[in-house]
Amino acid sequence: MRRPSSGIATQALTLCILLSALFCAANAEEPVRQTGSDGAGSTLPIDLVTALRLAGARNLDVQLAKSAVQDAHASYYSAIERFLPTFVPTASYLHHTGRDQDVAGPLIDVTKHNETAGVTASAEIPLGDALFQTLQTRQLLTAADAAQTAQEQDTQLAVAQQYLDLVNTGALVEVVSQALAISQNYEQQLNEAVRIGTAFKGDAFRVQTQTRRLQLDLTRAKEQRRLAATRLAQTLHLDPLVDLIPAEREPAPLALADLNATPDALVRSALQNRPELTRTGSLIAAAEQARRGAVYGPLIPTLGLRAFAGDFGGGVGDTDVNGGPRRDLGVGLSWKIGPGGLLDIGRIKASGVSLTVAEVKDQKMRDAIAREVVDGYTQVQSLFQQVRDARLNVSSAEETLRLTRGRKELGVGTVLEDIQAQQDLEKARSELNTVVTELNQQQYALLYSVGTALHNTGDLSH
C-alpha cells in the first residue's frame, strides 16, 4: 500500500512544482534594463525615426561628405574666377640722376623724376583651360552632391540595421530571462522535493545544469545587446557610455518590399535612381571635359590684358611740369606650344586613360548594383518563407512543451523531457526574432538598393 501512495504523492508534488513554475513565470516582472556594462552610463530611449534623424544630423561620415561638397563649390568658383582680371591699386615715385638714353639714341646726363597713382587691371586668361576647367569642376560638383546623397543613404541604412539589431538583442535578453526565471523556480521546487525525499536528486542536478547554462546565455545576450548599443551610438556620434534603449521590446515583421515587383523592374529602377550612378556619370562627364581640354583647349588663345587709370606727373629735376590724367590699355593673344599647350601628347593620352577608367568604374558599379538588387530580392523572398517556418516552429515547440508537462502531470514524463522542451522553445523563439530582424533589415536594404529608400521615416514605425 505504501508504494502506490508514494507514487501518487510524487505525481501530486510534481504537478504542484510545474503549476508553481508556470504561475511564477506568468507573473514575473519585466527584466530591469541595464544602464551600461559598468553601471556608470545613463540610458537613452530611442526609436527608429529618431535614430534616422540623428543619422543625418550627427553622423561624421555625412559631415565629411557635406564638407566635400563645399570643397567642390570652392573649386568651381575658383575656375570661374580665372576669367576675371586682377585689380591692383598702385602708387610709385621715381627720381633719376645720371646717365640715360635720349629718344634719338645718344647717352646724356639727366636729372628727372616722375610719379604715378592709380589702378592697374591685369589679366592673363588661358581661355581654353579656363573654359574646360569650369565645365569639369561643374561636373565634379554634381558628383560631390551625389556622393553626399549616397553617404546619407548609406548611413541611414546602417542606422536602420543597427537599430534592428539592438531590438533583436534586447528581445533575446528577455527570452533568455524568462526561460531562466522558469528554470530557477523549477530548480528551487525540485531541490525542496529532493530535501523531503520525494524527487530524484539527478533530476535536480539536470535542472541546475540548465539554469547555469541559461545564466551563461543571459550574460552573453546582455553583452551582445550592449555592443549593439555602442555600435549604434558610434554611428550616431553619441557618447558610448549612454545605453540606448529601443522603443520596441521585440522585432515585428515589416512589409516594406513590393513582392509583386519583378527583379527586372527593380534593377531598372536601381539603375535610374541610385545616386552612386549619378556620381559615376558625372565623373565620366568631368573626365570627358578634361580630355576635350587637353585636345581643344590649347587651340583657344590666352588673352593678355593690361589697363591703367590714374595720374602721371614729373619733369626735369624736382619740378613738376604738365602732370595730369593717364590711361593705358594693352591687349594681346598668345598660344602655347609644348607641355601644357599644343602638341602635349602625354597630357592627351593621360586624359584619355582617365576617361576610360571612369567609364569602366561606372560599368563596374552598374554590375554591382544589379547583383545587389537580385541578391536582395532573393533574400527577401526567402526570409518571408523563413518567418512563416519559424512561426510554425514556435507553435510546435509550445505545443511540445504543453504536452510534455501534461505527461509530467500524469507521472509518465521525465524532467529531462521537460528540460529539452523548454530548450527547444527558447531556441525557436530566438530564431524567430532573428529571422524577423533579418527580414526587416533586408527589406530596408532592398529599398536602398533600388534607390527608393524611405525618406518619410515615419513609414517604418510599427
Side-chain angles (χ1 to χ4, degrees), residues 274-308:
R274 286 287 290 269
E276 292 91 340
L277 294 180
T278 301
R279 177 179 178 272
T280 57
S282 298
L283 292 177
I284 290 175
E288 175 61 26
Q289 294 299 339
R291 188 191 67 82
R292 293 177 62 193
V295 175
Y296 304 111
L299 298 176
I300 303 175
T302 296
L303 174 64
L305 172 66
R306 186 180 185 281
F308 173 80

PDB file of all heavy atoms in Angstrom, residues 274-308:
ATOM      1  N   ARG A 274      19.794  55.278 -58.336  1.00  0.00           N
ATOM      2  CA  ARG A 274      20.897  55.236 -57.378  1.00  0.00           C
ATOM      3  C   ARG A 274      21.814  56.443 -57.533  1.00  0.00           C
ATOM      4  O   ARG A 274      22.292  56.749 -58.641  1.00  0.00           O
ATOM      5  CB  ARG A 274      21.698  53.952 -57.543  1.00  0.00           C
ATOM      6  CG  ARG A 274      21.004  52.724 -57.014  1.00  0.00           C
ATOM      7  CD  ARG A 274      20.978  52.670 -55.500  1.00  0.00           C
ATOM      8  NE  ARG A 274      22.276  52.437 -54.934  1.00  0.00           N
ATOM      9  CZ  ARG A 274      22.765  51.241 -54.665  1.00  0.00           C
ATOM     10  NH1 ARG A 274      22.055  50.141 -54.912  1.00  0.00           N
ATOM     11  NH2 ARG A 274      23.972  51.110 -54.134  1.00  0.00           N
ATOM     12  N   PRO A 275      22.093  57.172 -56.445  1.00  0.00           N
ATOM     13  CA  PRO A 275      22.980  58.344 -56.532  1.00  0.00           C
ATOM     14  C   PRO A 275      24.411  57.969 -56.893  1.00  0.00           C
ATOM     15  O   PRO A 275      25.146  58.798 -57.420  1.00  0.00           O
ATOM     16  CB  PRO A 275      22.886  58.956 -55.131  1.00  0.00           C
ATOM     17  CG  PRO A 275      22.447  57.836 -54.237  1.00  0.00           C
ATOM     18  CD  PRO A 275      21.565  56.979 -55.084  1.00  0.00           C
ATOM     19  N   GLU A 276      24.827  56.725 -56.598  1.00  0.00           N
ATOM     20  CA  GLU A 276      26.174  56.314 -56.986  1.00  0.00           C
ATOM     21  C   GLU A 276      26.365  56.388 -58.493  1.00  0.00           C
ATOM     22  O   GLU A 276      27.461  56.735 -58.973  1.00  0.00           O
ATOM     23  CB  GLU A 276      26.448  54.882 -56.503  1.00  0.00           C
ATOM     24  CG  GLU A 276      26.534  54.745 -54.996  1.00  0.00           C
ATOM     25  CD  GLU A 276      25.202  54.436 -54.364  1.00  0.00           C
ATOM     26  OE1 GLU A 276      24.156  54.687 -55.009  1.00  0.00           O
ATOM     27  OE2 GLU A 276      25.181  53.939 -53.231  1.00  0.00           O
ATOM     28  N   LEU A 277      25.304  56.062 -59.262  1.00  0.00           N
ATOM     29  CA  LEU A 277      25.412  56.126 -60.718  1.00  0.00           C
ATOM     30  C   LEU A 277      25.367  57.571 -61.205  1.00  0.00           C
ATOM     31  O   LEU A 277      25.983  57.899 -62.222  1.00  0.00           O
ATOM     32  CB  LEU A 277      24.295  55.298 -61.357  1.00  0.00           C
ATOM     33  CG  LEU A 277      24.384  53.791 -61.097  1.00  0.00           C
ATOM     34  CD1 LEU A 277      23.236  53.053 -61.765  1.00  0.00           C
ATOM     35  CD2 LEU A 277      25.716  53.246 -61.585  1.00  0.00           C
ATOM     36  N   THR A 278      24.650  58.424 -60.491  1.00  0.00           N
ATOM     37  CA  THR A 278      24.716  59.855 -60.808  1.00  0.00           C
ATOM     38  C   THR A 278      26.138  60.367 -60.619  1.00  0.00           C
ATOM     39  O   THR A 278      26.656  61.148 -61.430  1.00  0.00           O
ATOM     40  CB  THR A 278      23.754  60.642 -59.910  1.00  0.00           C
ATOM     41  OG1 THR A 278      22.421  60.170 -60.103  1.00  0.00           O
ATOM     42  CG2 THR A 278      23.800  62.135 -60.234  1.00  0.00           C
ATOM     43  N   ARG A 279      26.785  59.889 -59.562  1.00  0.00           N
ATOM     44  CA  ARG A 279      28.166  60.297 -59.300  1.00  0.00           C
ATOM     45  C   ARG A 279      29.104  59.794 -60.388  1.00  0.00           C
ATOM     46  O   ARG A 279      29.909  60.558 -60.928  1.00  0.00           O
ATOM     47  CB  ARG A 279      28.607  59.773 -57.936  1.00  0.00           C
ATOM     48  CG  ARG A 279      30.051  60.079 -57.595  1.00  0.00           C
ATOM     49  CD  ARG A 279      30.420  59.564 -56.208  1.00  0.00           C
ATOM     50  NE  ARG A 279      31.828  59.827 -55.917  1.00  0.00           N
ATOM     51  CZ  ARG A 279      32.819  59.011 -56.234  1.00  0.00           C
ATOM     52  NH1 ARG A 279      32.538  57.845 -56.843  1.00  0.00           N
ATOM     53  NH2 ARG A 279      34.071  59.315 -55.962  1.00  0.00           N
ATOM     54  N   THR A 280      29.033  58.490 -60.702  1.00  0.00           N
ATOM     55  CA  THR A 280      29.942  57.963 -61.722  1.00  0.00           C
ATOM     56  C   THR A 280      29.672  58.587 -63.082  1.00  0.00           C
ATOM     57  O   THR A 280      30.601  58.821 -63.862  1.00  0.00           O
ATOM     58  CB  THR A 280      29.820  56.431 -61.810  1.00  0.00           C
ATOM     59  OG1 THR A 280      28.453  56.066 -62.083  1.00  0.00           O
ATOM     60  CG2 THR A 280      30.272  55.776 -60.521  1.00  0.00           C
ATOM     61  N   GLY A 281      28.403  58.896 -63.400  1.00  0.00           N
ATOM     62  CA  GLY A 281      28.093  59.573 -64.650  1.00  0.00           C
ATOM     63  C   GLY A 281      28.698  60.964 -64.700  1.00  0.00           C
ATOM     64  O   GLY A 281      29.221  61.392 -65.747  1.00  0.00           O
ATOM     65  N   SER A 282      28.658  61.666 -63.574  1.00  0.00           N
ATOM     66  CA  SER A 282      29.258  62.997 -63.522  1.00  0.00           C
ATOM     67  C   SER A 282      30.776  62.916 -63.625  1.00  0.00           C
ATOM     68  O   SER A 282      31.407  63.790 -64.237  1.00  0.00           O
ATOM     69  CB  SER A 282      28.852  63.706 -62.224  1.00  0.00           C
ATOM     70  OG  SER A 282      27.451  63.892 -62.174  1.00  0.00           O
ATOM     71  N   LEU A 283      31.371  61.882 -63.031  1.00  0.00           N
ATOM     72  CA  LEU A 283      32.819  61.713 -63.141  1.00  0.00           C
ATOM     73  C   LEU A 283      33.221  61.411 -64.582  1.00  0.00           C
ATOM     74  O   LEU A 283      34.285  61.855 -65.048  1.00  0.00           O
ATOM     75  CB  LEU A 283      33.294  60.605 -62.212  1.00  0.00           C
ATOM     76  CG  LEU A 283      33.191  60.900 -60.707  1.00  0.00           C
ATOM     77  CD1 LEU A 283      33.623  59.691 -59.887  1.00  0.00           C
ATOM     78  CD2 LEU A 283      34.035  62.121 -60.338  1.00  0.00           C
ATOM     79  N   ILE A 284      32.400  60.654 -65.308  1.00  0.00           N
ATOM     80  CA  ILE A 284      32.663  60.417 -66.731  1.00  0.00           C
ATOM     81  C   ILE A 284      32.603  61.735 -67.494  1.00  0.00           C
ATOM     82  O   ILE A 284      33.473  62.029 -68.337  1.00  0.00           O
ATOM     83  CB  ILE A 284      31.651  59.408 -67.305  1.00  0.00           C
ATOM     84  CG1 ILE A 284      31.919  58.019 -66.744  1.00  0.00           C
ATOM     85  CG2 ILE A 284      31.725  59.384 -68.838  1.00  0.00           C
ATOM     86  CD1 ILE A 284      30.895  56.988 -67.169  1.00  0.00           C
ATOM     87  N   ALA A 285      31.567  62.541 -67.216  1.00  0.00           N
ATOM     88  CA  ALA A 285      31.446  63.830 -67.898  1.00  0.00           C
ATOM     89  C   ALA A 285      32.621  64.743 -67.566  1.00  0.00           C
ATOM     90  O   ALA A 285      33.134  65.465 -68.437  1.00  0.00           O
ATOM     91  CB  ALA A 285      30.123  64.503 -67.503  1.00  0.00           C
ATOM     92  N   ALA A 286      33.082  64.715 -66.308  1.00  0.00           N
ATOM     93  CA  ALA A 286      34.235  65.532 -65.921  1.00  0.00           C
ATOM     94  C   ALA A 286      35.493  65.065 -66.650  1.00  0.00           C
ATOM     95  O   ALA A 286      36.304  65.876 -67.115  1.00  0.00           O
ATOM     96  CB  ALA A 286      34.435  65.473 -64.414  1.00  0.00           C
ATOM     97  N   ALA A 287      35.672  63.739 -66.754  1.00  0.00           N
ATOM     98  CA  ALA A 287      36.836  63.209 -67.470  1.00  0.00           C
ATOM     99  C   ALA A 287      36.768  63.556 -68.958  1.00  0.00           C
ATOM    100  O   ALA A 287      37.803  63.824 -69.591  1.00  0.00           O
ATOM    101  CB  ALA A 287      36.912  61.690 -67.277  1.00  0.00           C
ATOM    102  N   GLU A 288      35.567  63.565 -69.508  1.00  0.00           N
ATOM    103  CA  GLU A 288      35.407  63.952 -70.914  1.00  0.00           C
ATOM    104  C   GLU A 288      35.777  65.415 -71.128  1.00  0.00           C
ATOM    105  O   GLU A 288      36.441  65.768 -72.122  1.00  0.00           O
ATOM    106  CB  GLU A 288      33.964  63.697 -71.349  1.00  0.00           C
ATOM    107  CG  GLU A 288      33.627  64.171 -72.756  1.00  0.00           C
ATOM    108  CD  GLU A 288      34.445  63.491 -73.839  1.00  0.00           C
ATOM    109  OE1 GLU A 288      34.902  62.346 -73.616  1.00  0.00           O
ATOM    110  OE2 GLU A 288      34.628  64.102 -74.915  1.00  0.00           O
ATOM    111  N   GLN A 289      35.390  66.275 -70.188  1.00  0.00           N
ATOM    112  CA  GLN A 289      35.756  67.688 -70.299  1.00  0.00           C
ATOM    113  C   GLN A 289      37.269  67.867 -70.157  1.00  0.00           C
ATOM    114  O   GLN A 289      37.871  68.713 -70.843  1.00  0.00           O
ATOM    115  CB  GLN A 289      35.023  68.513 -69.240  1.00  0.00           C
ATOM    116  CG  GLN A 289      33.512  68.569 -69.414  1.00  0.00           C
ATOM    117  CD  GLN A 289      33.094  69.202 -70.733  1.00  0.00           C
ATOM    118  OE1 GLN A 289      33.857  69.953 -71.363  1.00  0.00           O
ATOM    119  NE2 GLN A 289      31.881  68.909 -71.169  1.00  0.00           N
ATOM    120  N   ALA A 290      37.890  67.068 -69.279  1.00  0.00           N
ATOM    121  CA  ALA A 290      39.346  67.142 -69.154  1.00  0.00           C
ATOM    122  C   ALA A 290      40.030  66.706 -70.444  1.00  0.00           C
ATOM    123  O   ALA A 290      41.043  67.301 -70.868  1.00  0.00           O
ATOM    124  CB  ALA A 290      39.806  66.270 -67.976  1.00  0.00           C
ATOM    125  N   ARG A 291      39.493  65.666 -71.103  1.00  0.00           N
ATOM    126  CA  ARG A 291      40.071  65.221 -72.373  1.00  0.00           C
ATOM    127  C   ARG A 291      39.895  66.283 -73.464  1.00  0.00           C
ATOM    128  O   ARG A 291      40.827  66.566 -74.239  1.00  0.00           O
ATOM    129  CB  ARG A 291      39.414  63.912 -72.800  1.00  0.00           C
ATOM    130  CG  ARG A 291      40.085  63.247 -74.015  1.00  0.00           C
ATOM    131  CD  ARG A 291      39.246  62.122 -74.547  1.00  0.00           C
ATOM    132  NE  ARG A 291      38.001  62.628 -75.115  1.00  0.00           N
ATOM    133  CZ  ARG A 291      37.894  63.128 -76.350  1.00  0.00           C
ATOM    134  NH1 ARG A 291      38.958  63.199 -77.134  1.00  0.00           N
ATOM    135  NH2 ARG A 291      36.733  63.558 -76.786  1.00  0.00           N
ATOM    136  N   ARG A 292      38.719  66.872 -73.518  1.00  0.00           N
ATOM    137  CA  ARG A 292      38.491  67.927 -74.506  1.00  0.00           C
ATOM    138  C   ARG A 292      39.392  69.130 -74.234  1.00  0.00           C
ATOM    139  O   ARG A 292      39.876  69.784 -75.154  1.00  0.00           O
ATOM    140  CB  ARG A 292      37.026  68.352 -74.480  1.00  0.00           C
ATOM    141  CG  ARG A 292      36.056  67.278 -74.961  1.00  0.00           C
ATOM    142  CD  ARG A 292      34.618  67.737 -74.836  1.00  0.00           C
ATOM    143  NE  ARG A 292      34.392  68.917 -75.673  1.00  0.00           N
ATOM    144  CZ  ARG A 292      33.312  69.696 -75.587  1.00  0.00           C
ATOM    145  NH1 ARG A 292      32.391  69.434 -74.663  1.00  0.00           N
ATOM    146  NH2 ARG A 292      33.167  70.726 -76.375  1.00  0.00           N
ATOM    147  N   GLY A 293      39.607  69.401 -72.925  1.00  0.00           N
ATOM    148  CA  GLY A 293      40.505  70.496 -72.588  1.00  0.00           C
ATOM    149  C   GLY A 293      41.927  70.243 -73.044  1.00  0.00           C
ATOM    150  O   GLY A 293      42.640  71.164 -73.468  1.00  0.00           O
ATOM    151  N   ALA A 294      42.347  68.963 -72.960  1.00  0.00           N
ATOM    152  CA  ALA A 294      43.704  68.621 -73.402  1.00  0.00           C
ATOM    153  C   ALA A 294      43.836  68.692 -74.920  1.00  0.00           C
ATOM    154  O   ALA A 294      44.897  69.075 -75.453  1.00  0.00           O
ATOM    155  CB  ALA A 294      44.067  67.231 -72.903  1.00  0.00           C
ATOM    156  N   VAL A 295      42.765  68.331 -75.642  1.00  0.00           N
ATOM    157  CA  VAL A 295      42.832  68.296 -77.106  1.00  0.00           C
ATOM    158  C   VAL A 295      42.542  69.656 -77.718  1.00  0.00           C
ATOM    159  O   VAL A 295      43.286  70.142 -78.597  1.00  0.00           O
ATOM    160  CB  VAL A 295      41.845  67.238 -77.645  1.00  0.00           C
ATOM    161  CG1 VAL A 295      41.818  67.266 -79.179  1.00  0.00           C
ATOM    162  CG2 VAL A 295      42.225  65.849 -77.149  1.00  0.00           C
ATOM    163  N   TYR A 296      41.442  70.289 -77.271  1.00  0.00           N
ATOM    164  CA  TYR A 296      40.986  71.515 -77.929  1.00  0.00           C
ATOM    165  C   TYR A 296      41.321  72.788 -77.153  1.00  0.00           C
ATOM    166  O   TYR A 296      41.327  73.875 -77.735  1.00  0.00           O
ATOM    167  CB  TYR A 296      39.469  71.461 -78.147  1.00  0.00           C
ATOM    168  CG  TYR A 296      39.029  70.250 -78.934  1.00  0.00           C
ATOM    169  CD1 TYR A 296      38.299  69.225 -78.317  1.00  0.00           C
ATOM    170  CD2 TYR A 296      39.333  70.118 -80.271  1.00  0.00           C
ATOM    171  CE1 TYR A 296      37.894  68.105 -79.026  1.00  0.00           C
ATOM    172  CE2 TYR A 296      38.933  68.998 -81.005  1.00  0.00           C
ATOM    173  CZ  TYR A 296      38.218  67.997 -80.364  1.00  0.00           C
ATOM    174  OH  TYR A 296      37.830  66.895 -81.071  1.00  0.00           O
ATOM    175  N   GLY A 297      41.585  72.653 -75.856  1.00  0.00           N
ATOM    176  CA  GLY A 297      41.866  73.845 -75.062  1.00  0.00           C
ATOM    177  C   GLY A 297      43.032  74.665 -75.575  1.00  0.00           C
ATOM    178  O   GLY A 297      42.928  75.910 -75.681  1.00  0.00           O
ATOM    179  N   PRO A 298      44.178  74.046 -75.959  1.00  0.00           N
ATOM    180  CA  PRO A 298      45.319  74.845 -76.427  1.00  0.00           C
ATOM    181  C   PRO A 298      45.059  75.600 -77.731  1.00  0.00           C
ATOM    182  O   PRO A 298      45.806  76.523 -78.064  1.00  0.00           O
ATOM    183  CB  PRO A 298      46.423  73.796 -76.611  1.00  0.00           C
ATOM    184  CG  PRO A 298      46.051  72.689 -75.679  1.00  0.00           C
ATOM    185  CD  PRO A 298      44.559  72.647 -75.730  1.00  0.00           C
ATOM    186  N   LEU A 299      44.028  75.198 -78.503  1.00  0.00           N
ATOM    187  CA  LEU A 299      43.708  75.917 -79.733  1.00  0.00           C
ATOM    188  C   LEU A 299      43.105  77.285 -79.448  1.00  0.00           C
ATOM    189  O   LEU A 299      43.152  78.186 -80.298  1.00  0.00           O
ATOM    190  CB  LEU A 299      42.736  75.092 -80.589  1.00  0.00           C
ATOM    191  CG  LEU A 299      43.268  73.738 -81.073  1.00  0.00           C
ATOM    192  CD1 LEU A 299      42.169  72.989 -81.811  1.00  0.00           C
ATOM    193  CD2 LEU A 299      44.489  73.931 -81.965  1.00  0.00           C
ATOM    194  N   ILE A 300      42.523  77.431 -78.268  1.00  0.00           N
ATOM    195  CA  ILE A 300      41.940  78.723 -77.879  1.00  0.00           C
ATOM    196  C   ILE A 300      43.044  79.556 -77.237  1.00  0.00           C
ATOM    197  O   ILE A 300      43.708  79.100 -76.306  1.00  0.00           O
ATOM    198  CB  ILE A 300      40.770  78.515 -76.903  1.00  0.00           C
ATOM    199  CG1 ILE A 300      39.712  77.599 -77.538  1.00  0.00           C
ATOM    200  CG2 ILE A 300      40.150  79.841 -76.500  1.00  0.00           C
ATOM    201  CD1 ILE A 300      38.583  77.240 -76.609  1.00  0.00           C
ATOM    202  N   PRO A 301      43.275  80.789 -77.717  1.00  0.00           N
ATOM    203  CA  PRO A 301      44.443  81.553 -77.252  1.00  0.00           C
ATOM    204  C   PRO A 301      44.292  82.027 -75.813  1.00  0.00           C
ATOM    205  O   PRO A 301      43.199  82.071 -75.248  1.00  0.00           O
ATOM    206  CB  PRO A 301      44.492  82.730 -78.215  1.00  0.00           C
ATOM    207  CG  PRO A 301      43.079  82.920 -78.636  1.00  0.00           C
ATOM    208  CD  PRO A 301      42.490  81.540 -78.724  1.00  0.00           C
ATOM    209  N   THR A 302      45.425  82.374 -75.248  1.00  0.00           N
ATOM    210  CA  THR A 302      45.463  83.029 -73.940  1.00  0.00           C
ATOM    211  C   THR A 302      45.303  84.529 -74.156  1.00  0.00           C
ATOM    212  O   THR A 302      45.978  85.129 -74.993  1.00  0.00           O
ATOM    213  CB  THR A 302      46.783  82.744 -73.227  1.00  0.00           C
ATOM    214  OG1 THR A 302      46.880  81.337 -72.967  1.00  0.00           O
ATOM    215  CG2 THR A 302      46.867  83.500 -71.912  1.00  0.00           C
ATOM    216  N   LEU A 303      44.406  85.123 -73.423  1.00  0.00           N
ATOM    217  CA  LEU A 303      44.124  86.553 -73.537  1.00  0.00           C
ATOM    218  C   LEU A 303      44.935  87.313 -72.506  1.00  0.00           C
ATOM    219  O   LEU A 303      44.854  87.023 -71.307  1.00  0.00           O
ATOM    220  CB  LEU A 303      42.635  86.818 -73.330  1.00  0.00           C
ATOM    221  CG  LEU A 303      42.198  88.280 -73.271  1.00  0.00           C
ATOM    222  CD1 LEU A 303      42.456  88.975 -74.618  1.00  0.00           C
ATOM    223  CD2 LEU A 303      40.715  88.396 -72.887  1.00  0.00           C
ATOM    224  N   GLY A 304      45.761  88.263 -73.005  1.00  0.00           N
ATOM    225  CA  GLY A 304      46.520  89.126 -72.115  1.00  0.00           C
ATOM    226  C   GLY A 304      45.900  90.508 -72.087  1.00  0.00           C
ATOM    227  O   GLY A 304      45.567  91.085 -73.133  1.00  0.00           O
ATOM    228  N   LEU A 305      45.739  91.068 -70.920  1.00  0.00           N
ATOM    229  CA  LEU A 305      45.086  92.369 -70.768  1.00  0.00           C
ATOM    230  C   LEU A 305      45.802  93.161 -69.692  1.00  0.00           C
ATOM    231  O   LEU A 305      46.125  92.625 -68.629  1.00  0.00           O
ATOM    232  CB  LEU A 305      43.609  92.182 -70.375  1.00  0.00           C
ATOM    233  CG  LEU A 305      42.822  93.436 -69.981  1.00  0.00           C
ATOM    234  CD1 LEU A 305      42.668  94.357 -71.185  1.00  0.00           C
ATOM    235  CD2 LEU A 305      41.463  93.061 -69.404  1.00  0.00           C
ATOM    236  N   ARG A 306      46.065  94.443 -70.020  1.00  0.00           N
ATOM    237  CA  ARG A 306      46.598  95.353 -69.014  1.00  0.00           C
ATOM    238  C   ARG A 306      46.002  96.725 -69.243  1.00  0.00           C
ATOM    239  O   ARG A 306      46.061  97.274 -70.348  1.00  0.00           O
ATOM    240  CB  ARG A 306      48.124  95.436 -69.064  1.00  0.00           C
ATOM    241  CG  ARG A 306      48.716  96.263 -67.931  1.00  0.00           C
ATOM    242  CD  ARG A 306      50.236  96.331 -67.993  1.00  0.00           C
ATOM    243  NE  ARG A 306      50.803  97.034 -66.848  1.00  0.00           N
ATOM    244  CZ  ARG A 306      50.835  98.356 -66.713  1.00  0.00           C
ATOM    245  NH1 ARG A 306      50.348  99.145 -67.690  1.00  0.00           N
ATOM    246  NH2 ARG A 306      51.364  98.915 -65.630  1.00  0.00           N
ATOM    247  N   ALA A 307      45.421  97.298 -68.199  1.00  0.00           N
ATOM    248  CA  ALA A 307      44.812  98.626 -68.289  1.00  0.00           C
ATOM    249  C   ALA A 307      45.206  99.405 -67.048  1.00  0.00           C
ATOM    250  O   ALA A 307      45.261  98.867 -65.934  1.00  0.00           O
ATOM    251  CB  ALA A 307      43.297  98.515 -68.402  1.00  0.00           C
ATOM    252  N   PHE A 308      45.501 100.710 -67.266  1.00  0.00           N
ATOM    253  CA  PHE A 308      45.861 101.573 -66.141  1.00  0.00           C
ATOM    254  C   PHE A 308      45.040 102.842 -66.232  1.00  0.00           C
ATOM    255  O   PHE A 308      44.833 103.418 -67.312  1.00  0.00           O
ATOM    256  CB  PHE A 308      47.349 101.931 -66.191  1.00  0.00           C
ATOM    257  CG  PHE A 308      47.743 102.961 -65.162  1.00  0.00           C
ATOM    258  CD1 PHE A 308      47.970 102.607 -63.852  1.00  0.00           C
ATOM    259  CD2 PHE A 308      47.847 104.312 -65.530  1.00  0.00           C
ATOM    260  CE1 PHE A 308      48.310 103.565 -62.902  1.00  0.00           C
ATOM    261  CE2 PHE A 308      48.190 105.269 -64.579  1.00  0.00           C
ATOM    262  CZ  PHE A 308      48.430 104.890 -63.257  1.00  0.00           C
TER     263      PHE A 308
END
